[in-house]
Amino acid sequence: MNGTGKTFYITTPIYYPSDKLHIGHSYCTVATDVMARYKRLQGFDVMFLTGTDEHGQKIELKAQDAGVTPKQYVDQVVAGIKDLWKLLNISNDRFIRTTDDYHEESVQKIFKALYDKGYIYKGSYKGKYCTPCESFWTESQLVDGKCPDCGREVIDAEEEAYFFKLSAFQDKLVKYYEEHPDFMEPQSRLNEMVNNFIKPGLEDLCVSRTSFTWGVPVTFDPKHVVYVWVDALSNYITALGYGNDKYHDFEKYWPADVHFVGKEIMRFHTIIWPAMLMALDLPLPKKVYGHGWLLLEGGKMSKSKGNVVDPVVLVQRYGVDAIRYFLLREFPFGSDGLFSNEALIARINADLANDLGNLVSRSVAMVKTFGFTLPTQRREVPEQDDELIQMVKGLQQRYEEQMERYAFQNALMEIFKVVSRTNKYIDETAPWTLAKNPEEHSRLATVLYNLLECVRVVGILLKPFMPSTAERIFEQIGASQELTTYESAGTWGLLPADVTVHKGEVLFPRIDLAKELAELEAAKASKEPKEPVKAEKKAAPQVEGVASMISIDEFAKVELRVAQVKACEHVKRAKKLLCLQLDDGTEAGRQVVSGIHPWYEPEDLVGKKVVVVANLNPAKLCGVESNGMILAADAGENDVKVLFVDESVPCGSKVR
Ligand code: MSP
């Protein structure tokens, strides 16, 4: 089984066939693609699986509305999903549809095997059902009587049904989590699963339905169809040939190295799926990574709210690599993040047009203009260049450390630190001045050579993120295939001295922010409903007195700044704490830990502007570093309100 050879099996969730997958859906697929490409670059035999989850009542109803059969409906929508993945340059090795015959056959065998082993039994189901999520809920799991996942109405459901003995796996799961502390990531998800689902007690799960027919029939009782999540989760093994003859690589790739999933479907992947596998005596996936959501200012993107961002439009306007880069650079993978057109354009301009684009075009242009043969004695390294060269030499290792943790944002930051340093090197060495003095021509050649080498290494490590940009870079600096392998990124000085550069098109043209935003807004305004007006905030109680007076000079010592919450997540083992990533107008931003979880969830904060005490000594709260604090008011007995700032105030503005 997987683990003996250099194989790597990675999956995305299989998507519901929706006619409009939005940028949030693309996020997970792009991240999976980056990981798959990275592992291939390292020489792994990779299996990257994605697909579509096509059964269930919701699809049956949609097809009815459209006046077509469910199969006709899904066929047409799935074609669109495949096109989107092509557009985003997704390199999946396999695409599974849950309506594929081989998959259905395997699901039937899995269901029967669980029944034969006594893990599935017949009973009667009474409870609540959320049709859009295809989820059964007990009364106690509902939030305000609604679906705890999507907040929509649930319906009463009662029918004869088969049940999976999930309760029998409670202790085994807890033991498994304890023995495999890396099974779930980020670690905060483990707390969520244990506290919200395991501790209250696992109940047996209803795994068949009789009220509709669009599903996989139970072989030994065909009026029942298999519950969509049992059907869907099985895809990760049926696509390798488990229970069918279509494929034959189950032994080779299973257990999966990692399932990438959105945080709301963690419980299916870390409770139900492992229990099913345990019942089948199969090994569990090595890791389930629950990434965060892309949010818009109005909350999570969803078609029903009408606030989705269309990836096709973005790719058409900015190019696929810019979108791939932005998605993984802007947000820490495990946390929620706020999507905005402004952030996207700012990121493209700053990182891709200015930093990377400029570096490549300046380097190539100078080699062309100054027309020098690059130095033949490449090995002698003037001290002045040493810092840059050492930084580039260590880049691959720093990058790898981050990639292995799925910290895509950090990996990209490491690359771009080198890009910035190299741009600075151009300014320091001023090749155009060296060019004027014939005695400096050998030095000039060395400088230009160093630039091309930096670009080469950067290009290699960018390959998984921006595959076509990397190729364009190699073409411009004249690097042949063997100098763009992963191994070659670890060695300095491989580019031959007589390399021929080619001036190509600008990699990323600068975007006029104001003009572009106006165009995007205009396009959006014509399509979308207005944002609902937010409820008025409760007025703060009267201030009765103050502790003691201070002078204006004393007050001036406190540096207060406006900052925007870019991402936010729970702090492990600390119920009250939230960890916020703030844009405080500085390049690096800052991380602040705040004890406001009793009153706020991450999604209440992401996108909001707050006031941060910027010159507070750093502190560690429950092991997490906090650089400052955000201001909040005691708004009544046991009530706290964060002080939000009008969104027009720029990040970094001083508050006084
Ligand atoms: N069909 C199930 C998965 C079954 S896996 C055996 C499903 N499908 S989905 O189409 O609703 O979602 C697919 C993935 O997209 C999920 O991981 C979900 O978290 C992700 N996203 C949907 N909206 C998202 C954002 N706004 N942001 C990030 N990811 C989000 O769930």
Side-chain angles (χ1 to χ4, degrees):
M1 288 217 176
N2 180 0
T4 46
K6 248 190 136 192
T7 58
F8 190 79
Y9 180 29
I10 184 167
T11 66
T12 69
I14 48 173
Y15 291 81
Y16 290 130
S18 146
D19 48 0
K20 230 291 122 349
L21 290 194
H22 54 65
I23 194 77
H25 295 116
S26 311
Y27 182 49
C28 185
T29 313
V30 168
T32 314
D33 186 62
V34 168
M35 204 60 207
R37 286 177 184 270
Y38 162 71
K39 285 289 168 185
R40 284 191 205 112
L41 193 60
Q42 285 187 321
F44 280 77
D45 175 341
V46 172
M47 170 57 69
F48 165 11
L49 174 70
T50 187
T52 40
D53 183 0
E54 304 180 15
H55 289 127
Q57 195 169 21
K58 191 170 54 176
I59 301 293
E60 195 174 83
L61 295 174
K62 277 192 183 175
Q64 261 169 29
D65 285 351
V68 291
T69 65
K71 186 70 168 84
Q72 285 168 332
Y73 175 80
V74 291
D75 280 351
Q76 171 221 327
V77 179
V78 169
I81 294 178
K82 286 186 173 172
D83 286 347
L84 176 63
W85 297 156
K86 247 184 244 151
L87 184 74
L88 286 167
N89 209 353
I90 302 300
S91 63
N92 54 297
D93 298 289
R94 226 159 258 181
F95 189 100
I96 186 169
R97 299 182 54 178
T98 53
T99 51
D100 288 336
D101 290 345
Y102 75 90
H103 169 79
E104 294 190 353
E105 176 195 337
S106 297
V107 169
Q108 290 182 323
K109 287 186 188 158
I110 289 170
F111 199 90
K112 178 77 166 55
L114 293 172
Y115 180 75
D116 290 344
K117 282 166 172 269
Y119 288 115
I120 282 182
Y121 62 91
K122 199 170 190 174
S124 141
Y125 174 77
K126 265 195 210 131
K128 304 286 174 187
Y129 190 73
C130 174
T131 310
C133 294
E134 310 277 13
S135 291
F136 290 102
W137 299 102
T138 57
E139 197 80 50
S140 64
Q141 287 172 319
L142 302 180
V143 175
D144 298 333
K146 306 232 166 87
C147 170
D149 271 355
C150 72
R152 281 178 273 208
E153 295 292 338
V154 289
I155 52 170
D156 286 323
E158 177 174 5
E159 58 189 37
E160 171 194 286
Y162 286 91
F163 285 82
F164 174 59
K165 279 191 186 164
L166 188 60
S167 57
F169 293 91
Q170 165 121 2
D171 296 341
K172 288 187 195 134
L173 286 169
V174 171
K175 185 161 177 273
Y176 190 85
Y177 302 154
E178 279 166 9
E179 286 170 0
H180 300 83
D182 296 334
F183 175 60
M184 281 183 230
E185 268 187 59
Q187 289 282 315
S188 55
R189 307 267 180 252
L190 173 64
N191 296 342
E192 281 168 42
M193 293 304 120
V194 172
N195 293 337
N196 299 350
F197 299 106
I198 305 268
K199 277 198 186 144
L202 290 178
E203 291 174 24
D204 289 352
L205 180 74
C206 177
V207 288
S208 80
R209 303 298 314 270
T210 51
S211 54
F212 61 90
T213 55
W214 182 237
V216 179
V218 172
T219 43
F220 50 91
D221 197 350
K223 66 175 185 297
H224 288 259
V225 291
V226 174
Y227 172 43
V228 276
W229 272 99
V230 169
D231 172 2
L233 288 162
S234 303
N235 94 89
Y236 299 126
I237 53 176
T238 65
L240 300 178
Y242 183 83
N244 65 71
D245 271 336
K246 167 91 174 163
Y247 296 111
H248 300 278
D249 27 30
F250 178 73
E251 292 294 320
K252 181 172 174 192
Y253 292 115
W254 192 258
D257 289 272
V258 62
H259 294 314
F260 275 2
V261 303
K263 62 180 187 176
E264 85 285 13
I265 56 172
M266 263 316 251
R267 78 183 173 97
F268 296 98
H269 286 82
T270 58
I271 297 175
I272 299 174
W273 179 224
M276 280 172 63
L277 290 166
M278 284 174 177
L280 291 167
D281 289 320
L282 293 177
L284 270 49
K286 294 178 198 163
K287 192 182 289 297
V288 182
Y289 194 106
H291 65 76
W293 286 339
L294 291 197
L295 303 170
L296 289 179
E297 266 164 26
K300 193 183 177 218
M301 268 175 232
S302 87
K303 221 177 122 190
S304 54
K305 282 198 209 162
N307 67 346
V308 295
V309 173
D310 185 350
V312 177
V313 173
L314 297 183
V315 169
Q316 279 162 354
R317 287 183 101 92
Y318 311 115
V320 57
D321 279 0
I323 302 306
R324 291 171 61 107
Y325 173 78
F326 172 75
L327 288 176
L328 295 174
R329 169 60 185 85
E330 192 70 10
F331 319 106
F333 193 46
S335 321
D336 289 352
L338 183 73
F339 180 93
S340 75
N341 291 325
E342 206 165 355
L344 169 64
I345 296 165
R347 182 62 70 192
I348 295 176
N349 279 345
D351 294 9
L352 301 182
N354 279 2
D355 282 1
L356 179 67
N358 253 342
L359 173 63
V360 175
S361 70
R362 287 207 287 175
S363 305
V364 170
M366 286 190 294
V367 172
K368 265 220 161 306
T369 314
F370 302 139
F372 293 107
T373 310
L374 298 165
T376 41
Q377 288 173 320
R378 306 191 310 267
R379 285 177 196 295
E380 100 193 27
V381 179
E383 259 182 51
Q384 194 187 356
D385 303 346
D386 202 43
E387 185 208 332
L388 177 71
I389 294 175
Q390 291 312 324
M391 191 176 180
V392 177
K393 277 185 173 172
L395 176 60
Q396 184 176 38
Q397 197 194 330
R398 295 193 299 278
Y399 165 89
E400 205 168 292
E401 276 164 20
Q402 300 302 337
M403 293 296 281
E404 293 299 323
R405 302 171 43 229
Y406 307 103
F408 303 111
Q409 187 189 42
N410 292 351
L412 285 171
M413 284 193 319
E414 289 297 342
I415 298 178
F416 276 75
K417 273 185 216 159
V418 167
V419 171
S420 301
R421 180 67 193 87
T422 315
N423 272 322
K424 194 165 151 231
Y425 175 79
I426 300 183
D427 300 336
E428 285 166 1
T429 51
W432 45 92
T433 313
L434 298 175
K436 287 185 197 144
N437 179 356
E439 281 178 20
E440 296 282 10
H441 284 183
S442 151
R443 173 70 186 138
L444 172 63
T446 304
V447 166
L448 296 182
Y449 182 81
N450 290 345
L451 291 179
L452 294 188
E453 264 300 84
C454 291
V455 171
R456 181 182 70 85
V457 173
V458 160
I460 296 173
L461 302 183
L462 279 176
K463 270 190 194 185
F465 294 90
M466 302 199 280
S468 28
T469 302
E471 289 312 318
R472 288 167 69 197
I473 291 176
F474 300 140
E475 155 95 27
Q476 293 199 21
I477 63 167
S480 55
Q481 282 282 313
E482 67 278 12
L483 301 182
T484 67
T485 61
Y486 190 67
E487 295 67 46
S488 74
T491 312
W492 176 267
L494 290 182
L495 214 54
D498 57 354
V499 67
T500 311
V501 301
H502 307 274
K503 211 164 160 16
E505 272 182 33
V506 172
L507 291 179
F508 296 96
R510 254 193 91 76
I511 301 166
D512 179 335
L513 178 68
K515 187 165 159 262
E516 190 66 23
L517 284 180
E519 277 181 30
L520 286 170
E521 279 308 308
K524 200 172 100 188
S526 60
K527 280 201 222 140
E528 283 182 9
K530 289 256 176 292
E531 283 267 330
V533 181
K534 301 231 166 65
E536 286 249 335
K537 290 255 145 43
K538 201 166 72 183
Q542 283 266 292
V543 176
E544 287 172 5
V546 287
S548 61
M549 307 300 269
I550 57 166
S551 72
I552 186 93
D553 290 344
E554 279 174 292
F555 174 68
K557 285 185 196 156
V558 183
E559 191 179 322
L560 300 172
R561 298 264 174 195
V562 172
Q564 186 175 37
V565 184
K566 301 303 270 184
C568 179
E569 63 176 2
H570 301 127
V571 173
K572 209 170 104 188
R573 285 191 290 278
K575 273 194 184 156
K576 292 192 170 170
L577 299 183
L578 289 179
C579 177
L580 296 91
Q581 304 299 333
L582 300 179
D583 174 0
D584 60 354
T586 64
E587 204 178 314
R590 68 168 62 220
Q591 172 171 299
V592 167
V593 177
S594 175
I596 49 173
H597 190 206
W599 302 279
Y600 291 88
E601 286 300 324
E603 52 269 38
D604 301 328
L605 297 167
V606 172
K608 298 275 171 48
K609 286 193 173 160
V610 296
V611 179
V612 61
V613 182
N615 59 341
L616 204 61
N617 284 330
K620 277 208 165 167
L621 304 178
C622 282
V624 182
E625 176 147 331
S626 181
N627 293 295
M629 60 181 269
I630 62 168
L631 295 191
D634 285 326
E637 201 177 315
N638 200 21
D639 191 13
V640 166
K641 292 269 188 257
V642 171
L643 300 186
F644 293 124
V645 177
D646 189 277
E647 63 182 27
S648 63
V649 184
C651 293
S653 305
K654 206 167 170 217
V655 178
R656 53 200 176 89

